[in-house]
Amino acid sequence: MINERQTELLKLIVEDYIKTARPVSSKSLCETLNCSSATIRNEMSFLEDMELLEKTHTSSGRVPSEKGYRYYVDNIMKPKELTGEDMLNLQTVFSNKSLVLSDAITRSMEIISDLTNYTSIVLGGSSKDNLISKVEVVPTSETNLVAIVVTDRGHVEHRNVTLDEKVSLVEIKQTVDLINKFIVGTPIDEVSMKLEFEVKPRIGESVKQQRAVYDALYNVFNDLSNDATVHVNRPSNILKEPEFYNNMEKIQNILEKFEDKEFVRNIQQDDEANDGGINIYIGSESEFDDDVAIIKTNYNINGEEGTIALIGPKRMEYDRVTALLNYIKENIE
């Protein structure tokens, strides 16, 4: 499709634009390619005719087109070797044996968000096939609790619970102990039934406080059996990207999509995502937004399935992000 010099030119322009967010001029590439500015302009014009480059209205320089990014990703880019600092940051998570699987995945993606300034997403598979290992409740005030559910596959869910009345710590403990006695080892999607027919009859109608805790936990399990985990880390990172500085409408639109859990879950559904590798969607290739890129991969650990992804501008460090996601995938699996 394009010759060796044109390939090198496209590579240089893509990688320079990713770093600077500024159009690349022919003059800036003369020394690197060891040829005249006129020759580079001719090659740029050819790449523009091939729809791999675009000319901006404000400069004589060129920027990669969506098609140019795709050609770069498919034919030129190689995953970047991670720095020792990147690996050290992530190893603090993977070497922490006290972390359960879901927390390790979420924490490692938070670190990647900090390292790259992109938004990271963790999409857990439905937890209905998980067996309950234990339930804990931590009171945070007289009427507020945090319910913590741990499964046999290392999956941990936290839910904030608000009670309609004050409940004593003794009543809370008695209710949780009773629930644990009957539901440990039960699949999440069967817990609600077991609560209804085995636990509820043992909580007398006269014990109003225990009933209040029971009702709250019943709703938590009902939510878990119908829900898949969605964690969106650092959505405001998009505000730091120079191409969005003066486009508040665009920023608002993207932030609203991050807040829409049903929309975010669709990232998990793309057809190509089942091949076990790294999948890259640039601009219009996804439904998210024409000005962003999504890089994602699936994981499967002992039957616990999910998706991890990074979302940033089309001017994304594809080589580095690909390497980071590969590193996490290899370590968690």
Side-chain angles (χ1 to χ4, degrees), residues 67 85 97 154 163 165 171 178 214 260 265 270 280 283:
K67 187 176 176 181
E85 184 179 0
K97 302 304 181 185
L163 303 173
E165 55 189 284
E171 295 287 353
L178 180 62
Y214 165 86
D260 185 343
R265 278 196 195 97
D270 296 305
I280 299 174

Side-chain angles (χ1 to χ4, degrees), residues 41-99:
R41 283 197 300 272
N42 287 337
E43 298 288 33
M44 281 181 163
S45 295
F46 175 82
L47 292 174
E48 192 174 352
D49 291 341
M50 297 295 290
E51 299 180 346
L52 298 175
L53 294 180
E54 296 174 341
K55 193 171 184 178
T56 66
H57 299 295
T58 58
S59 166
S60 59
R62 306 297 202 285
V63 300
S65 66
E66 187 172 302
K67 187 176 176 181
Y69 281 122
R70 172 50 62 191
Y71 189 90
Y72 169 79
V73 165
D74 290 344
N75 302 287
I76 302 173
M77 182 200 78
K78 295 179 181 178
K80 194 173 187 178
E81 186 173 340
L82 295 186
T83 65
E85 184 179 0
D86 285 348
M87 288 191 283
L88 184 61
N89 278 311
L90 291 168
Q91 278 303 324
T92 61
V93 175
F94 300 129
S95 61
N96 187 346
K97 302 304 181 185
S98 66
L99 287 177

Side-chain angles (χ1 to χ4, degrees), residues 105-106 108-110 112-113 116 118-124 231-233 258 264 266-268 270 273 278-281 288 293-299 306-312 316 321 325 328:
I105 294 171
T106 301
S108 62
M109 292 304 289
E110 288 173 353
I112 285 190
S113 278
T116 62
Y118 303 140
T119 298
S120 67
I121 290 176
V122 179
L123 301 170
H231 290 291
V232 179
N233 303 308
F258 282 138
V264 173
N266 289 334
I267 294 173
Q268 203 167 20
D270 296 305
I278 302 291
N279 292 277
I280 299 174
Y281 303 87
F288 200 93
I294 300 173
I295 304 182
K296 69 175 187 175
T297 188
N298 290 346
Y299 62 84
T307 300
I308 51 178
L310 278 175
I311 298 181
M316 201 176 190
V321 171
L325 287 185
I328 288 183

Side-chain angles (χ1 to χ4, degrees), residues 89-326:
N89 278 311
L90 291 168
Q91 278 303 324
T92 61
V93 175
F94 300 129
S95 61
N96 187 346
K97 302 304 181 185
S98 66
L99 287 177
V100 294
L101 174 64
S102 56
D103 285 344
I105 294 171
T106 301
R107 180 63 189 130
S108 62
M109 292 304 289
E110 288 173 353
I111 289 173
I112 285 190
S113 278
D114 292 337
L115 292 174
T116 62
N117 277 332
Y118 303 140
T119 298
S120 67
I121 290 176
V122 179
L123 301 170
S126 175
S127 54
K128 64 182 180 181
D129 295 328
N130 286 232
L131 305 181
I132 299 296
S133 289
K134 68 175 175 178
V135 179
E136 294 180 359
V137 170
V138 180
T140 54
S141 72
E142 292 181 324
T143 57
N144 291 284
L145 315 168
V146 176
I148 304 167
V149 180
V150 184
T151 77
D152 64 324
R153 294 178 179 173
H155 189 79
V156 179
E157 281 289 341
H158 307 79
R159 289 289 191 276
N160 293 312
V161 176
T162 300
L163 303 173
D164 294 331
E165 55 189 284
K166 296 179 183 179
V167 179
S168 71
L169 295 178
V170 172
E171 295 287 353
I172 290 172
K173 185 178 186 306
Q174 288 176 346
T175 308
V176 173
D177 287 347
L178 180 62
I179 288 174
N180 270 313
K181 180 180 177 181
F182 283 93
I183 70 169
V184 168
T186 303
I188 281 183
D189 61 343
E190 297 178 16
V191 168
S192 296
M193 185 178 296
K194 187 163 280 194
L195 287 173
E196 182 70 20
F197 293 103
E198 296 188 35
V199 178
K200 186 177 179 180
R202 288 171 169 78
I203 296 179
E205 290 292 336
S206 59
V207 188
K208 290 183 63 179
Q209 289 191 326
Q210 284 193 12
R211 183 59 186 270
V213 177
Y214 165 86
D215 288 343
L217 290 177
Y218 180 91
N219 291 333
V220 168
F221 282 111
N222 201 42
D223 288 344
L224 289 178
S225 65
N226 296 310
D227 202 11
T229 307
V230 177
H231 290 291
V232 179
N233 303 308
R234 316 291 194 263
S236 61
N237 278 355
I238 201 74
L239 301 174
K240 302 173 185 177
E241 301 299 339
E243 50 264 67
F244 299 129
Y245 281 171
N246 298 315
N247 194 338
M248 291 308 299
E249 184 179 352
K250 172 69 69 175
I251 290 173
Q252 185 65 32
N253 180 260
I254 292 174
L255 291 178
E256 285 176 359
K257 288 176 178 176
F258 282 138
E259 293 174 2
D260 185 343
K261 286 194 172 185
E262 287 302 320
F263 185 86
V264 173
R265 278 196 195 97
N266 289 334
I267 294 173
Q268 203 167 20
Q269 306 304 320
D270 296 305
D271 292 337
E272 295 177 35
N274 297 318
D275 61 7
I278 302 291
N279 292 277
I280 299 174
Y281 303 87
I282 303 168
S284 62
E285 294 173 0
S286 80
E287 294 183 1
F288 200 93
D289 190 274
D290 286 352
D291 292 318
V292 306
I294 300 173
I295 304 182
K296 69 175 187 175
T297 188
N298 290 346
Y299 62 84
N300 187 329
I301 304 101
N302 299 324
E304 182 82 8
E305 297 181 351
T307 300
I308 51 178
L310 278 175
I311 298 181
K314 285 193 292 188
R315 184 188 53 80
M316 201 176 190
E317 287 185 277
Y318 295 98
D319 51 358
R320 187 181 182 210
V321 171
T322 299
L324 286 165
L325 287 185
N326 266 322

